[in-house]
Amino acid sequence: MGVFRDDFLWGGATAANQYEGAWDADGKGESVPDHCTNGTHTTPKWVTVKIEKDRLYPSQEATDFYHHYKEDIALFAEMGFRVFRLSINWTRIFPTGMEDEPNEKGLEFYDNVFDELNAKGIEPLVTLSHYEMPYALVEKYNGWEDRKVIDLFFKYAVTVLKRYNKKVKYWLTFNEINCGTMALGAVLGTGTIKGYNGPMDKVPDDKQARFQALHHQFVASALVVKYAHEHFPDVMMGNMIAYMENYPLTPNPDDVRECQKIMEIMNYYCGDVQVRGEYPYFAERYWEDNDIHIDMKHGDLELLKEGTVDFYTFSYYMSNCVSTDPTQTGTAGNIMGGVKNPYLKSSDWGWQIDPKGLRIALNELYARYGIPLMVVENGLGAFDKKEKDGTVNDDYRIDYLREHIEQMREAVKDGVDLMGYTPWGCIDLVSASTGEMAKRYGFIYVDKYDDGTGDLSRSRKKSFDWYKKVIASNGEDLK
């Protein structure tokens, strides 16, 4: 008998805005990523109010799942996927988010995708909102800052739940919803960037707007979860958190307390609302210290109690160290900042690699929430070299994933109820943080490059066959 449960969901994860392409095909409207240019890990991508002809917007074509979905799903099936995480692009269903009737062409596309997955025995795991905010709602409402967006999202969610509930069992409401607690959440999550034109790292940080927007997302999520539970008892509803393990750099009590505070807001603020159904005890102190005033309407807190999720999912890429010593200024290059951990090595992008941190995270989360967990993003973004014979010998990716799966096994032995694993970017796609193609995660290589060239052909990397073996052995054969 193996360590992982017999029905463990092995697969891979993507997002429409980074993978789907066809940004203006068949009636689709503009989303926030369609207004984001390319960048690098040293030069930030831009958000532009208008689509500018002399700039490259990589999400607009991405790696074109829209026209390659049958080919890609066949490759996923060849690897033995039991689940495939993808997202529905809100603007493919409601182009501005404000229409009364959905776009039938958009609905038909996802029907075709889900039918293809079901035919191959692959469960779809669908994210309703994976950084795919309609840009029209940014312009009209400053994204989620306006409460009116709750009803628009609910209309969209009900539309797709009604349409696909027989084809899709597993749903997530918002991707990495806790990014709304961070400055970059204005672009990635809450859409509170009305009128902004400039580099992503210079977006004016309006903490009040972000946390008000986040409250509206909590209400929207709870509404959708409650609706799904009442109307479709066979579906399971989950949340999704960008989880970052943090360690105090030293035993100095100031470092320990600062680390606690970061963990509270970054990792637990959103999870507590969506799993426990209430704001955590530390929220009011945080609001007071940061001059945040949440406008809650009558019934909001009751609704949060009624719309709690069935399972908890999260992304895990790296960990951080926390220090209150002002001389500790060097960062590890991690997307959330932090002080470099001297015990860890880093990826090409400076993200510190910490497999044992995943075991720690799984134990912390299961102790806190006690519901099934799923790692729905994890992976190594790296420069992949295609050899003359077409092969990509990505042993570094195999090593990274092996070490993380080993730690997942240890967590399961510890008693954690882990239901699945979907490594990020199982096929090459556009990086959300930098807009690059050079930062590749996939088991499948896509011929697409940062200057916009490439024929979009697909080929298997060395890691493809390795992951196929992992799945076939239910995580026992990691060699």
Side-chain angles (χ1 to χ4, degrees):
M1 183 176 178
V3 173
F4 294 108
R5 51 203 270 182
D6 291 340
D7 62 349
F8 193 82
L9 294 169
W10 296 99
T14 61
N17 72 85
Q18 296 166 256
Y19 177 39
E20 198 173 271
W23 75 289
D24 58 355
D26 295 328
K28 180 188 170 297
E30 296 175 8
S31 65
V32 171
D34 295 328
H35 285 253
C36 291
T37 71
N38 60 331
T40 70
H41 65 296
T42 56
T43 304
K45 64 183 189 180
W46 275 52
V47 185
T48 65
V49 172
K50 301 296 181 184
I51 304 297
E52 301 173 8
K53 292 182 179 180
D54 61 340
R55 287 182 176 270
L56 178 65
Y57 296 85
S59 289
Q60 293 183 1
E61 184 179 37
T63 46
D64 200 26
F65 178 65
Y66 196 78
H67 296 107
H68 293 260
Y69 71 89
K70 288 188 178 182
E71 175 186 0
D72 291 353
I73 291 170
L75 288 165
F76 300 154
E78 183 183 336
M79 270 189 284
F81 277 22
R82 301 176 186 177
V83 65
F84 173 52
R85 182 183 174 219
L86 69 162
S87 62
I88 294 176
N89 205 323
W90 187 350
T91 61
R92 204 171 288 287
I93 311 304
F94 290 97
T96 68
M98 295 175 278
E99 291 79 7
D100 292 328
E101 297 297 325
N103 173 29
E104 180 61 25
K105 284 285 189 181
L107 290 168
E108 288 174 0
F109 169 68
Y110 294 107
D111 265 323
N112 294 336
V113 169
F114 298 145
D115 288 345
E116 194 73 16
L117 287 166
N118 292 161
K120 300 289 189 184
I122 301 173
E123 291 272 8
L125 170 61
V126 174
T127 311
L128 288 168
S129 180
H130 193 131
Y131 304 153
E132 280 126 8
M133 180 101 194
Y135 195 76
L137 300 185
V138 173
E139 293 180 308
K140 187 173 179 64
Y141 295 120
N142 196 29
W144 281 95
E145 187 181 16
D146 196 311
R147 194 178 177 92
K148 294 185 181 70
V149 175
I150 295 175
D151 290 338
L152 297 174
F153 180 77
F154 184 69
K155 175 182 63 178
Y156 152 65
V158 167
T159 298
V160 297
L161 278 163
K162 284 183 175 179
R163 180 84 169 214
Y164 308 127
N165 70 87
K166 298 295 186 184
K167 300 179 180 183
V168 179
K169 177 179 180 179
Y170 300 102
W171 298 81
L172 310 178
T173 52
F174 291 90
N175 179 70
E176 296 183 333
I177 191 171
N178 59 320
C179 280
T181 68
M182 312 164 206
L184 83 163
V187 178
L188 295 180
T190 62
T192 49
I193 52 169
K194 184 176 182 179
Y196 180 72
N197 198 95
M200 184 170 155
D201 64 340
K202 301 296 183 185
V203 175
D205 184 23
D206 186 339
K207 195 172 283 189
Q208 168 64 34
R210 280 195 290 109
F211 275 82
Q212 184 63 55
L214 193 52
H215 176 73
H216 294 154
Q217 288 183 329
F218 290 149
V219 173
S221 177
L223 269 172
V224 171
V225 171
K226 181 183 178 185
Y227 174 86
H229 285 161
E230 290 173 350
H231 292 84
F232 311 115
D234 291 336
V235 308
M236 290 185 66
M237 303 299 295
N239 67 337
M240 202 291 203
I241 301 293
Y243 193 90
M244 182 83 69
E245 192 58 55
N246 285 270
Y247 311 121
L249 185 65
T250 74
N252 182 335
D254 290 339
D255 285 1
V256 175
R257 177 55 191 148
E258 186 65 21
C259 184
Q260 273 189 328
K261 288 163 62 177
I262 289 173
M263 290 283 284
E264 286 169 356
I265 297 302
M266 181 184 292
N267 291 331
Y268 300 136
Y269 181 92
C270 296
D272 283 10
V273 173
Q274 293 186 296
V275 180
R276 293 175 166 176
E278 60 187 14
Y279 279 102
Y281 71 91
F282 51 79
E284 289 195 16
R285 170 71 184 268
Y286 183 82
W287 295 337
E288 181 181 342
D289 289 349
N290 290 274
D291 197 26
I292 295 169
H293 306 277
I294 306 295
D295 180 16
M296 299 187 195
K297 301 302 183 186
H298 178 72
D300 281 2
L301 295 180
E302 291 77 10
L303 182 61
L304 296 183
K305 280 284 189 188
E306 296 167 348
T308 55
V309 296
D310 304 308
F311 63 109
Y312 178 111
T313 81
F314 66 104
S315 59
Y316 178 87
Y317 294 100
M318 68 194 81
S319 61
N320 277 339
C321 279
V322 177
S323 175
T324 55
D325 181 352
T327 66
Q328 294 286 348
T329 56
T331 69
N334 288 0
I335 194 169
M336 307 304 181
V339 177
K340 188 171 184 177
N341 188 328
Y343 297 98
L344 301 177
K345 57 185 179 181
S346 299
S347 74
D348 292 336
W349 271 259
W351 292 16
Q352 293 210 278
I353 299 170
D354 183 12
K356 292 180 180 177
L358 178 55
R359 179 185 180 183
I360 294 168
L362 286 163
N363 275 277
E364 288 176 340
L365 289 169
Y366 195 59
R368 190 176 187 93
Y369 298 125
I371 63 173
L373 306 178
M374 189 169 181
V375 181
V376 294
E377 289 187 29
N378 172 241
L380 180 67
F383 293 108
D384 286 343
K385 180 184 177 184
K386 198 168 188 180
E387 305 294 342
K388 290 181 180 179
D389 63 358
T391 60
V392 176
N393 297 310
D394 55 341
D395 293 288
Y396 41 84
R397 180 168 293 112
I398 292 170
D399 291 342
Y400 176 100
L401 294 170
R402 177 192 295 114
E403 291 170 359
H404 283 79
I405 294 171
E406 286 172 347
Q407 293 302 315
M408 290 185 344
R409 290 176 60 174
E410 292 303 313
V412 171
K413 291 178 184 177
D414 294 335
V416 172
D417 184 1
L418 184 62
M419 59 186 286
Y421 179 60
T422 58
W424 177 247
C426 50
I427 181 170
D428 289 345
L429 39 66
V430 176
S431 167
S433 57
T434 64
E436 290 175 284
M437 274 305 306
K439 186 182 184 184
R440 296 176 183 268
Y441 285 87
F443 304 113
I444 300 165
Y445 190 92
V446 179
D447 191 75
K448 181 69 184 293
Y449 306 99
D450 285 325
D451 60 0
T453 63
D455 63 11
L456 296 169
S457 60
R458 275 66 167 148
S459 58
R460 299 162 185 78
K461 303 179 189 177
K462 185 175 181 180
S463 58
F464 182 102
D465 290 324
W466 175 82
Y467 193 51
K468 179 179 180 179
K469 182 177 61 174
V470 171
I471 297 174
S473 66
N474 200 27
E476 291 300 304
D477 187 354
L478 301 179
K479 295 178 182 178

